[in-house]
């Protein structure tokens, strides 16, 4: 089984090895702060040793619960937002057949998502799809009070109860939330739902390797044990005993900070595989919410190539030189498609006849790397042997660990998100939520 590989060679035209190694101490200190629990946000380090701490009993319970829902449901709606949504979505999209929803036969329920927006049409259309369908719900909210998932859950719970009856509905709802606090915990206990706990010391964006990610991923039919095995591998490879120069998480963290110090304020996560679109969304949350504070932090962006070479490609090649790219390069495709020869060759494509589609994609990738590096865009590359559970488990842990180190190099608390409260306060004030009377008056004066 193969391991993901980080290659920073094509960034070295912009930053030197010396500049990167100048951050060695900070990276090592960051690593030590993580492992000793002495840094900012040290009450949110439960993710750090999570892969090696996951018990057989816990995995079996998750698999059993997933099996139960799989037996009974054609569709399972996973309700959650932010860290209670993106990890599961990223892994399921990364591993799924691109057209799974349109195929006539399904071995596993279709996993759909709700509560990740407040789109009225989205919810209407989902409710109308679920009419007379056998569906179940996994509702995920650590705080148990987030508005978007709470609205979706209220609607779908009522619909499920009216379709199958209150007692049967209880067997089709699983809640993942805090052990003690929050409205969802209280509601689950009153109703008697099966629940899983999100540990107090694991923040939403670091929670994919917990029931938050595992249950939806298992329901979708994927092997959560392989995901854990991959994460364990990276936990070891990025461990505190691995020296800086051999530690991929530390090197990635130091390199992106060296680039940032050199004026590269935007990091674009690039993929050449459409299945990784939501992996980038997960990554953007991880880095954006962890580092964007105190008026600091690299802006995390993403593109899907070659699609976006026909849109954002111009900006990347030729726009303001404040960007660098981190490319997720998947080595092995799961399937083979050969470009056929055509006797008339009217499209002039016979020079590609006999080649695999992926050979063309790989040349597009190499050509893009050379063009962008020539154009002044430093390039980091992460080789991913294949898109499977084992490699995604590695990638997830690698990025989490690097994020913690990188946040400490930057000097911020990577584990809080005070900035996301501001919109909520205004929204509650505008909606006249009880307890927000003063804010309501103040905000109305601004309109
Ligand atoms: O990373 C985070 O902490 C956030 O993105 C949360 O996951 C998100 O706001 C959802 O919160 P909750 O799970 O409490 O509903």
């Amino acid at each position: 089984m193969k391991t993901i590989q980080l290659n920073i060679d094509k960034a070295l035209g912009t930053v030197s090895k010396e500049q990167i190694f100048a951050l060695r101490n900070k990276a090592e200190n960051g690593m030590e702060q993580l492992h000793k629990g002495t840094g900012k946000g040290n009450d949110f380090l439960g993710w750090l040793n999570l892969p090696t701490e996951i018990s057989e009993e816990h995995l079996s319970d998750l698999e059993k619960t997933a099996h139960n829902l799989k037996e009974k449901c054609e569709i399972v709606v996973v309700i959650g937002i932010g860290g209670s949504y993106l990890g599961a979505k990223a892994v399921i999209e990364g591993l799924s057949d691109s057209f799974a929803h349109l195929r006539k036969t399904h071995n596993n329920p279709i996993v759909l998502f709700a509560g990740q927006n407040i789109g009225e049409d989205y919810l209407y259309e989902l409710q109308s799809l679920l009419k007379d369908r056998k569906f179940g719900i996994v509702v995920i909210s650590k705080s148990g009070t987030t508005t978007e998932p709470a609205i979706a859950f209220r609607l779908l719970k009522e619909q499920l109860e009216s379709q199958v009856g209150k007692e049967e509905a209880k067997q089709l709802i699983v809640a993942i939330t805090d052990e003690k606090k929050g409205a969802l915990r209280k509601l689950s206990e009153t109703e008697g739902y099966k629940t899983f706990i999100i540990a107090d010391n694991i923040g939403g964006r670091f929670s994919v390797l917990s029931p938050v990610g595992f249950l939806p991923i298992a329901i979708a039919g994927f092997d959560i044990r392989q995901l854990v095995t991959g994460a364990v591998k990276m936990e070891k490879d990025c461990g505190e005993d691995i020296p800086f120069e051999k530690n991929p998480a530390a090197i990635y963290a130091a390199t992106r900070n060296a680039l940032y110090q050199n004026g590269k304020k935007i990091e674009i996560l690039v993929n050449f595989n459409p299945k990784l679109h939501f992996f980038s969304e997960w990554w953007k949350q991880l880095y954006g919410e962890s580092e964007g504070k105190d008026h600091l932090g690299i802006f995390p962006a993403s593109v899907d190539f070659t699609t976006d070479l026909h849109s954002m490609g111009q900006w990347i090649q030729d726009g303001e030189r404040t960007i660098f790219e981190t490319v997720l390069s998947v080595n092995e495709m799961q399937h083979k498609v050969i470009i056929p020869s055509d006797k008339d060759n009217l499209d002039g494509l016979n020079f590609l006849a006999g080649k695999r589609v992926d050979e063309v994609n790989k040349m597009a990738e190499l050509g893009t790397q050379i063009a962008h590096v020539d154009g002044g865009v430093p390039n980091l590359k992460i080789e991913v042997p294949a898109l499977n559970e084992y490699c995604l488990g590695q990638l997830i842990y690698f990025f989490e660990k690097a994020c913690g180190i990188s946040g400490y190099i930057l000097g911020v608390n990577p584990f809080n998100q005070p900035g996301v409260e501001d919109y909520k306060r205004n929204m509650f004030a505008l909606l006249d939520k009880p307890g927000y009377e003063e804010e309501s008056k103040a905000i109305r004066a601004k309109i």
Side-chain angles (χ1 to χ4, degrees):
M1 288 211 255
K2 294 185 192 153
T3 310
I4 60 167
Q5 300 290 337
L6 170 71
N7 187 331
I8 62 163
D9 290 354
K10 300 285 184 236
L12 296 179
T14 306
V15 282
S16 61
K17 272 206 167 138
E18 290 67 38
Q19 284 174 301
I20 296 168
F21 273 70
L23 291 173
R24 179 187 190 131
N25 276 349
K26 282 195 171 180
E28 285 173 348
N29 285 342
M31 180 86 87
E32 192 181 313
Q33 284 176 305
L34 286 175
H35 285 276
K36 290 203 169 134
T38 51
K40 292 179 187 168
N42 57 5
D43 42 349
F44 281 99
L45 294 172
W47 57 273
L48 192 61
N49 301 314
L50 197 55
T52 46
E53 283 169 358
I54 293 166
S55 70
E56 170 59 36
E57 199 190 347
H58 183 52
L59 287 175
S60 300
D61 191 11
L62 285 159
E63 286 169 339
K64 214 173 104 204
T65 308
H67 181 75
N68 186 37
L69 285 175
K70 279 158 84 164
E71 296 268 280
K72 293 182 177 156
C73 305
E74 305 166 59
I75 296 175
V76 173
V77 185
V78 174
I79 298 178
I81 194 165
S84 293
Y85 152 66
L86 283 164
K89 176 80 176 167
V91 174
I92 292 172
E93 293 278 320
L95 298 174
S96 291
D97 178 313
S98 308
F99 305 101
H101 293 181
L102 298 174
R103 296 210 185 269
K104 295 219 163 58
T105 50
H106 297 281
N107 295 329
N108 299 297
I110 295 171
V111 174
L112 300 178
F113 291 86
Q116 81 282 33
N117 58 48
I118 326 179
E120 186 161 354
D121 287 348
Y122 185 93
L123 284 164
Y124 177 89
E125 287 155 15
L126 178 61
Q127 286 201 288
S128 102
L129 173 81
L130 295 173
K131 256 183 210 142
D132 307 318
R133 305 286 285 263
K134 290 185 190 166
F135 79 97
I137 300 172
V138 176
V139 54
I140 310 174
S141 177
K142 184 178 178 192
S143 63
T145 54
T146 308
T147 310
E148 292 90 336
I151 293 173
F153 185 51
R154 182 181 276 214
L155 286 166
L156 297 187
K157 171 181 182 289
E158 188 189 270
Q159 178 170 357
L160 186 59
E161 287 174 353
S162 82
Q163 285 181 203
V164 301
K166 210 166 161 47
E167 281 317 303
E168 179 58 16
K170 286 181 189 174
Q171 308 308 312
L172 297 170
I173 296 175
V174 179
I176 306 178
T177 189
D178 186 85
E179 189 179 4
K180 296 188 186 107
K181 298 188 298 280
L184 184 58
R185 167 57 57 193
K186 206 165 151 210
L187 195 150
S188 304
E189 276 168 13
T190 312
E191 300 282 8
Y193 300 147
K194 165 80 183 163
T195 62
F196 287 95
I197 294 165
I198 311 176
D200 248 358
N201 60 356
I202 300 175
R205 59 190 174 276
F206 288 85
S207 69
V208 52
L209 299 171
S210 81
V212 173
F214 288 152
L215 186 62
I217 293 165
I219 291 169
F222 300 111
D223 186 345
I224 53 175
R225 287 170 193 268
Q226 278 302 311
L227 203 64
V228 175
T229 310
V232 167
K233 161 88 181 138
M234 254 321 109
E235 188 184 321
K236 295 196 169 127
D237 287 5
C238 301
E240 59 177 333
D241 53 328
I242 307 296
F244 176 77
E245 64 278 9
K246 293 202 173 127
N247 191 315
I251 292 284
Y252 175 59
T255 307
R256 63 196 295 284
N257 275 282
L259 287 163
Y260 181 58
Q261 290 171 3
N262 271 261
K264 303 297 179 191
K265 306 285 185 193
I266 300 166
E267 177 175 10
I268 305 176
L269 193 72
V270 176
N271 70 72
F272 281 80
N273 188 320
K275 292 188 186 197
L276 285 170
H277 175 83
F278 272 96
F279 193 86
S280 298
E281 297 302 311
W282 170 81
W283 173 88
K284 283 194 283 194
Q285 188 207 357
L286 182 65
Y287 280 79
E289 229 172 38
S290 299
E291 295 194 315
K293 48 198 71 159
D294 307 336
H295 296 174
L296 292 170
I298 294 170
F299 183 84
S302 66
V303 288
D304 302 323
F305 285 167
T306 62
T307 311
D308 292 334
L309 282 170
H310 297 258
S311 59
M312 294 303 290
Q314 172 61 36
W315 200 104
I316 295 169
Q317 186 67 48
D318 216 13
E320 198 182 24
R321 301 298 72 188
T322 46
I323 55 174
F324 67 99
E325 290 179 314
T326 297
V327 179
L328 297 177
S329 176
V330 181
N331 289 345
E332 287 297 325
M333 294 300 103
Q334 279 159 316
H335 306 288
K336 224 183 220 180
V337 177
I338 307 284
I339 299 168
S341 173
D342 183 283
K343 78 175 170 23
D344 299 326
N345 195 27
L346 292 176
D347 54 10
L349 218 59
N350 270 356
F351 73 103
L352 296 178
K355 289 192 195 300
R356 286 183 66 177
V357 170
D358 193 51
E359 249 182 284
V360 181
N361 203 24
K362 291 284 189 293
M363 289 308 110
E365 183 181 325
L366 183 58
T368 305
Q369 186 196 53
I370 295 167
H372 288 181
V373 172
D374 284 350
V377 182
N379 184 289
L380 311 181
K381 181 167 164 175
I382 298 168
E383 277 188 61
V384 183
L387 268 193
N388 56 33
E389 291 91 334
Y390 180 65
C391 292
L392 283 181
Q394 291 181 41
L395 261 189
I396 287 168
Y397 189 86
F398 160 77
F399 277 127
E400 287 182 352
K401 183 76 184 270
C403 185
I405 301 170
S406 184
Y408 283 155
I409 294 176
L410 188 65
V412 299
N413 174 354
F415 305 113
N416 65 1
Q417 55 284 327
V420 299
E421 295 311 313
D422 293 12
Y423 98 89
K424 292 184 193 167
R425 196 180 45 248
N426 287 350
M427 176 177 75
F428 292 146
L430 289 165
L431 288 167
D432 295 313
K433 184 172 176 173
Y436 285 77
E437 292 74 14
E438 284 308 309
E439 286 89 343
S440 293
K441 262 191 241 152
I443 201 164
R444 292 222 153 79
K446 287 190 196 169
I447 299 171

